[in-house]
Amino acid sequence: MAVKTAKQPILVPVDFSVASEAALLKAFELAECLKVRVVVLHVVHDPGDMPGYYTTMLKKKKLARMQDAARAMLEEFIQEFRKKYNTKQRLKRTERMLVIGLPVTRIMQVAEKIDASIVVMGSKGERGLKHLMLGSVAERVVQLCPLPVLVVKAELQEETS
């Protein structure tokens, strides 16, 4: 694997959770230091264990494609983040990506496509039987991704700058 340069973007996969907010906040701190852009990624996936993940948005619109609901949720997530952390200048130049597929696979494919230097993602820290049965997207990305992966715990979201 070639050494990554400082101008390569930071990839931040989000699922609109508090953990994703914490990861995005940490990614912007890194981006400020490194003077690189941030790419916010959402993978449209309605897993069998959580059917109806996008139903909140779909209830507002009678008929909508899952991708349309996810795109609206991504924009809303970014807008809420912008309001909460309005001092983050890099947010204005943030790229947004929406792809369809299995989260772990698509995160790694997008990281390769954009030539990311690092993946920064949140972790909800689930444990117990649910974790054993389903696993964690962050955990699988850490195991399989050839790039450095920074996992940010949800508790960090209380740190504001």
Side-chain angles (χ1 to χ4, degrees), residues 23-79:
L24 189 55
L25 185 59
K26 187 57 69 180
F28 278 111
E29 291 173 8
L30 289 171
E32 285 295 320
C33 294
L34 300 172
K35 306 293 186 227
V36 296
R37 73 187 199 281
V38 172
V39 177
V40 180
L41 169 69
H42 179 68
V43 180
V44 178
H45 180 240
D46 206 4
D49 63 311
M50 288 180 21
Y53 182 74
Y54 300 98
T55 55
T56 336
M57 282 301 291
L58 293 176
K59 287 178 185 175
K60 294 178 183 176
K61 300 174 184 175
K62 290 188 180 183
L63 289 175
R65 293 182 347 191
M66 192 183 316
Q67 297 94 317
D68 295 336
R71 188 175 323 285
M73 290 173 76
L74 178 58
E75 287 305 315
E76 184 177 328
F77 177 78
I78 294 293
Q79 292 305 321

